Amino acid sequence: MQDYFHAYGVVAALVAVGGGIVGGGLAANRLLRPSRPTGEKLTTYECGVDPVGEGWAQSYVRYYVFAYLYVVFAVDAVFLFPWATVFSAPGYGMTTLGEMFVFLAFLAVGLAYAGKKGVLSWV
């Protein structure tokens, strides 16, 4: 039972040391940085454009769908790399090839569905 709690003690000690390092770095930054606030520095910065008008702006939901589709295909690329390493291992060739075709078929069906719904046409 003592070994069980000792393992948690090691984890707690590592979390404390990590928190101390992060906190020490932030404290050193606060102590060493120059602080010269001016009116120019305290204004809102919007990519080089002077802030005018209201803070409310509408955007199309379609842009979020493009972002989600990008994430889906980025995850697809992440799964392709381990598959390529396992594919070359002896005894796993046909199994991993079949699994990858099933995975790519799911992605193709999702892409076809998005295309049929008109999500992929740019506004």
Side-chain angles (χ1 to χ4, degrees):
M1 191 62 139
Q2 184 176 356
D3 290 336
Y4 181 76
F5 290 117
H6 179 69
Y8 281 111
V10 170
V11 170
L14 287 174
V15 167
V17 168
I21 290 172
V22 170
L26 291 173
N29 183 26
R30 182 174 284 275
L31 290 172
L32 297 174
R33 71 177 180 192
S35 178
R36 295 183 205 98
T38 62
E40 185 86 16
K41 288 181 181 179
L42 296 176
T43 60
T44 305
Y45 180 74
E46 294 182 5
C47 300
V49 179
D50 291 333
V52 293
E54 299 178 13
W56 177 255
Q58 292 182 345
S59 61
Y60 291 109
V61 175
R62 189 172 303 224
Y63 297 139
Y64 294 108
V65 175
F66 281 117
Y68 289 139
L69 286 173
Y70 171 76
V71 168
V72 165
F73 287 103
V75 169
D76 171 34
V78 168
F79 282 126
L80 286 175
F81 290 115
W83 170 78
T85 58
V86 171
F87 184 70
S88 64
Y92 291 106
M94 293 308 293
T95 304
T96 56
L97 185 64
E99 289 174 354
M100 187 50 60
F101 278 126
V102 168
F103 179 69
L104 291 176
F106 276 118
L107 285 176
V109 167
L111 185 62
Y113 178 75
K116 182 180 178 198
K117 285 291 192 178
V119 177
L120 300 176
S121 62
W122 192 255
V123 176

